[in-house]
Every structure is written in C-alpha cells, then in structure tokens.
Amino acid sequence: TTLFIGIAYFLKVIFFLFVLMAMYVFPVYISFDLNPIQAIKNSLLIGAANPLYTLFMLILSIIIITFLLLFPRLIPIISVSLLSYTWVFFADKAICRIQKYKTVTKIS
C-alpha cells in the first residue's frame, strides 16, 4: 500500500505542476517571444517564483468555479472569460514584476 501512496503523491505533484503551467503558459507565450517549449518552462518558473500571485489565482479560480456551480445558467456566459481574466490579471502582475527586476539588474 505504500507504493500506492507514493504514486498518489507523485500524481498530485504532477497535477499541481500542470495547473501551475496552465495558468501561466498563455500570458508568458504572449508577453515574450518564445517557442512553446520555452513558454512552458518559463511559465513553471514564473509560477514558482511568484507563489502569492499563484495562490491568489488558485483561490479566485475555486471561488469562481464554486459560484458557477451554484448558478449553472451563467456557465456559458461568463465561465471562460472570467477565469481567463483572473489568470491574465495576476499573471501580468507576475510578469511585470519579473521584467522590472530584469531592468533593475541591467541598470546596476
């Protein structure tokens, strides 16, 4: 049974990394001139470097999904747009923070 517990833990970690990548990959791909593989790697790094924004994104996503499950008639109207806006809002803040740090290190 310890093998199954280890596999379950491994799958949870892989799922968390996939969600982390999914939240940041499109804003990173749009903001930087990268190929898709580099965008995936950088989205994981940006998500790990900004845990507070990532946590806000996860919490707001859970709140939005819960709200949409309570009112299912709103799902076709605002589900994708509201989640996308939330993810892009916080991802843009994380990317701007990294770009600001990048310009500060170039100047000094």
Side-chain angles (χ1 to χ4, degrees), residues 97-108:
R97 184 174 172 218
I98 288 176
Q99 287 177 340
K100 188 170 94 173
Y101 176 75
K102 188 177 176 183
T103 58
V104 167
T105 55
K106 278 186 180 179
I107 293 171
S108 52

Side-chain angles (χ1 to χ4, degrees), residues 7-67:
I7 291 173
Y9 179 74
F10 177 73
L11 289 176
K12 288 176 186 176
V13 169
I14 295 296
F15 178 74
F16 176 75
L17 290 175
F18 176 75
V19 169
L20 184 71
M21 182 266 313
M23 289 190 299
Y24 283 99
V25 72
F26 294 114
V28 167
Y29 187 70
I30 291 169
S31 297
F32 303 110
D33 188 26
L34 302 172
N35 64 27
I37 300 298
Q38 289 175 331
I40 289 171
K41 285 192 264 186
N42 286 339
S43 66
L44 286 171
L45 291 174
I46 290 174
N50 297 295
L52 192 59
Y53 290 136
T54 303
L55 185 65
F56 286 156
M57 290 167 76
L58 285 172
I59 290 171
L60 281 175
S61 296
I62 291 170
I63 290 170
I64 290 169
I65 290 169
T66 304
F67 177 75

